[in-house]
Amino acid sequence: MDRRSFLKTSALGGTAAAASTLAAPVYAQGKKTLTMVTSWPRGFAVLDDAATYLNNMVNEMSDGTLTIDKKAPGELVGAFEVFDAVSSGQADMYHSADYYFIGQHPSYAYYTAVPFGGTAQELTNWYLHGGGHELHNEVGEIFNLKAFLAGNSGSQSGGWFRNEITSAADFNGLKFRMPGLGGQVLGKLGASVQNIPGGELYQALSSGALDGLEWVGPFADERAGFQEVAKVYYTAGFHEPGSGLTAAVNLDVFNELSPAHQKIIEYAAMATTHTQLAETLANNGAALARLQQQGVKTMQFSDDVWDAFGKASAEVMDENMGDDLFARTRKSFEDSLTSSAEWLSKSDAFYVEQRERVRKNM
């Protein structure tokens, strides 16, 4: 795919030329300011927390010589418009979940999560040591982007429902919010899948526009208030076992930065991933207990439902194999996953099983 042809057909393509004047960092008294558009309303737990941390880290690490002007959805562009805004030069960088942009290229799913994919640690293993970052930059070059993993929410919940899911047939006709390839999987099961920005989810669920939704996990979901309008909560999901977030900079803007400022963005993104994952995992347990105290019923999908997820997931993944970059990304990711699982199954997983067995008798 040629970037110039993309910009001509993009929703923002008509304004790309005018917007390009905004792409260069703002210079004032030797300082540089990057405009960062995000997909998260201000104050959203986990997700806006990550964007804010990234913002602060860049400022502090550069001693104020490189700063970020963070924009929430609607302040410059909409939540799902951040990709095109940065690609075309209307903004300098974005913070978002790249699986929102599988319409631009299906391989973008891998930088957030794919069905039956990697845990947070396995995603990071692949990204930093298995070729994932290089592939992220390869697809980014098509759209004039330089990208970094910049956050991870850990394993995400199966979602909020008004009624229990007794079989895979219960998804037929269900109005459900799930982005990415996971949403396509539910579509295979007959769900009416919708991708709605986070700031609009509470209203959609409470009004009946949605029958159910997945968001993040207990800490973020509690702050969003979903427990007020739905009481059935499936705590494990197939779709996002370790969900990465992305900070992407317009490639022309990134190349204009000094090497020191480029490294600051890279390492601030790494710090964001580590800190945000720890924040989420540190808070999920207490948040889950509070949700249960409010009458939320926590459940797990049955094995036959998991099997249906698996069958539909294989179909969705295979449908994208005609794209060479997707196929190479999938192979790279799955090779890394196989390698990680071989050790984890014999170390961490076995240890946890034995630890809990022994602790019960201590």
Side-chain angles (χ1 to χ4, degrees), residues 169-327:
D170 290 338
F171 282 98
N172 190 34
L174 198 72
K175 295 176 291 186
F176 199 83
R177 183 268 184 189
M178 180 180 284
L181 298 182
Q184 294 181 17
V185 169
L186 293 191
K188 295 278 187 184
L189 301 182
S192 174
V193 180
Q194 302 176 43
N195 190 11
I196 298 174
E200 301 173 19
L201 290 178
Y202 180 92
Q203 177 60 31
L205 187 61
S206 60
S207 70
L210 288 175
D211 298 316
L213 59 84
E214 66 79 38
W215 182 228
V216 180
F219 180 49
D221 293 8
E222 179 191 30
R223 194 182 296 184
F226 301 135
Q227 70 276 10
E228 298 170 6
V229 289
K231 294 298 184 182
V232 178
Y233 190 42
Y234 284 83
T235 54
F238 73 96
H239 58 300
E240 297 187 46
S243 303
L245 302 176
T246 292
V249 187
N250 177 282
L251 186 57
D252 296 329
V253 170
F254 186 81
N255 288 337
E256 291 175 359
L257 296 175
S258 69
H261 282 170
Q262 291 176 352
K263 278 297 181 183
I264 284 171
I265 292 174
E266 179 181 354
Y267 286 112
M270 286 185 184
T272 300
T273 299
H274 176 76
T275 300
Q276 188 224 349
L277 178 60
E279 176 202 26
T280 306
L281 298 181
N283 285 281
N284 272 347
L288 181 62
R290 290 191 297 269
L291 292 173
Q292 291 172 321
Q293 290 167 4
Q294 296 174 67
V296 172
K297 184 177 182 180
T298 56
M299 304 190 68
Q300 300 289 6
F301 297 116
S302 62
D303 287 353
D304 64 309
V305 172
W306 278 94
D307 290 343
F309 289 155
K311 181 177 182 295
S313 294
E315 293 175 6
V316 167
M317 302 298 283
D318 289 346
E319 286 171 357
N320 290 291
M321 288 298 285
D323 183 278
D324 174 69
L325 181 53
F326 180 91

Side-chain angles (χ1 to χ4, degrees), residues 68-100:
I68 292 175
D69 180 16
K70 182 168 74 73
K71 303 289 188 183
E75 294 179 11
L76 184 61
V77 296
F80 294 153
E81 297 168 359
V82 299
F83 183 101
D84 280 358
V86 176
S87 176
S88 67
Q90 186 180 6
D92 298 315
M93 63 186 298
Y94 71 72
H95 190 268
S96 189
D98 267 359
Y99 70 170
Y100 291 153

Side-chain angles (χ1 to χ4, degrees), residues 53-118:
Y53 184 86
L54 175 69
N55 185 335
N56 293 340
M57 282 296 292
V58 168
N59 181 46
E60 292 171 13
M61 291 170 68
S62 70
D63 199 22
T65 61
L66 180 64
T67 59
I68 292 175
D69 180 16
K70 182 168 74 73
K71 303 289 188 183
E75 294 179 11
L76 184 61
V77 296
F80 294 153
E81 297 168 359
V82 299
F83 183 101
D84 280 358
V86 176
S87 176
S88 67
Q90 186 180 6
D92 298 315
M93 63 186 298
Y94 71 72
H95 190 268
S96 189
D98 267 359
Y99 70 170
Y100 291 153
F101 314 123
I102 57 174
Q104 278 85 350
H105 197 282
S107 70
Y108 271 115
Y110 280 93
Y111 307 106
T112 303
V114 295
F116 294 90

